Amino acid sequence: MKEDQVSLTAIMTAYLRAYHAMNDTPKVFDDFLACHLIPEERRALIEQGFSEALQIRVPEGGLACSEQAANPLLSLMQAMGLPHVLSRSRYTEDNLDLAVKQGVEQYVILGAGMDTFAFRRPDLLRQVQVFEVDHPATQTFKRNRLSELGWEIPSHLHFVPVDFTKESLADALKGTLYDVQTKSFFSWLGVTMYLTRDEVFATLRSIAEIAPEGSAVIFDYFVPEEDTPYMKEMREDLRKIGEPMKTTFDPSTLAFELESLGLRLHENLSPSDIQERYFQSRTDGYYASKHVRFAWAVVE
């Protein structure tokens, strides 16, 4: 990603969450605030791209779909990774709920992007300190947008700018109110695939070093796959916007690799696990991506 460029995947991820919240039933993950974080001109560009891809007109007002556009749009949303985006957020926040009940008092969102947790979940925000950690350019974009919207920054929300390719997570958090003695919950969604293997391991090692025993981290990761036309196209699209995919992990060796970093693999959800939990009974055609897994690791 370029030094001064907001993450385009972060904006697209927010769009996908917003689309689902406004159009799909039942909800896998209801991010009813995501639509506000996307500036009008950005939304218009995204929907223009959709219209050109589908040779249809996205209805006036945006985000909402018409009966005519519904089926092509649903297929496009699947291809854009909407089920992956929704299920990873649902999985993370479901487990965060449990963690808070068990005494977790800090929530660290790595690669936060346009995350709305601190504004969407006042019930949990009262119980945890939230640290949004992200690339400086993306975080500046978000903070400017929050200012435009007139949203008051909650006292429990703290912004931590960091470039994972250059800086240590541990060093970045040391300059904040983060308490190394307090059990913490980390989420790291939609990031590992864009970093090198060494960069991913460096951040996971930092978590093991700065968080007390029993703290947890949830992250999603791509698995090695044959180079299908779909994967080739996705990689090329990401390369074009300056966010190339760099890293995959083998599910069969992940536990061993995490152990060497001071983490124990607690859960490693497969595509079939994700399908069964979140998409089994749906009638809209959404299904779990076969290229993605969710890992939940615990600090030992």
Side-chain angles (χ1 to χ4, degrees), residues 109-112 133-135 162-169 188 191 195 199 202-203:
I109 310 173
L110 306 178
V133 182
D134 209 348
H135 189 280
V162 63
D163 184 342
F164 288 114
T165 68
K166 298 178 180 179
E167 304 170 66
S168 158
L169 172 63
W188 202 18
V191 180
L195 301 176
E199 289 163 353
T203 296

Side-chain angles (χ1 to χ4, degrees), residues 260-273:
S260 69
L261 304 174
L263 297 165
R264 173 176 54 83
L265 184 58
H266 175 73
E267 195 165 50
N268 192 9
L269 289 196
S270 68
S272 59
D273 295 328

Side-chain angles (χ1 to χ4, degrees), residues 126-142:
R126 289 190 292 269
Q127 302 175 66
V128 293
Q129 296 290 334
V130 178
F131 300 84
E132 288 198 12
V133 182
D134 209 348
H135 189 280
T138 299
Q139 196 162 89
T140 297
F141 177 92
K142 178 178 182 178

Side-chain angles (χ1 to χ4, degrees), residues 71 74-75 77-79 83 275 279 281-288:
N71 289 337
L74 286 174
S75 297
M77 292 300 170
Q78 174 71 46
Q275 176 70 22
F279 302 104
S281 59
R282 298 192 70 87
T283 59
D284 49 23
Y286 291 145
Y287 55 89

Side-chain angles (χ1 to χ4, degrees), residues 14-35 63 82 86:
Y15 184 95
L16 294 174
R17 295 197 309 264
Y19 176 90
H20 179 69
M22 297 177 71
N23 293 284
D24 297 331
T25 303
K27 308 289 187 242
V28 176
F29 182 77
D30 189 7
D31 192 345
F32 54 88
L33 294 178
C35 60
L63 289 173
L82 180 146
L86 300 174

Side-chain angles (χ1 to χ4, degrees), residues 69-129:
N71 289 337
L73 270 176
L74 286 174
S75 297
L76 181 59
M77 292 300 170
Q78 174 71 46
M80 294 296 294
L82 180 146
H84 170 206
V85 167
L86 300 174
S87 53
R88 73 189 184 192
S89 294
R90 171 70 178 275
Y91 178 67
T92 299
E93 290 198 16
D94 280 355
N95 286 305
L96 174 63
D97 276 320
L98 295 174
V100 170
K101 291 174 183 175
Q102 295 168 1
V104 161
E105 297 179 6
Q106 296 182 137
Y107 179 32
V108 184
I109 310 173
L110 306 178
M114 303 299 114
D115 192 277
T116 63
F117 172 85
F119 302 91
R120 179 173 36 79
R121 294 295 305 273
D123 56 323
L124 281 185
L125 188 63
R126 289 190 292 269
Q127 302 175 66
V128 293
Q129 296 290 334

Side-chain angles (χ1 to χ4, degrees), residues 200-217:
V200 173
F201 284 164
T203 296
L204 291 172
R205 189 178 294 110
S206 278
I207 291 173
E209 291 172 354
I210 63 175
E213 184 178 349
S215 296
V217 55

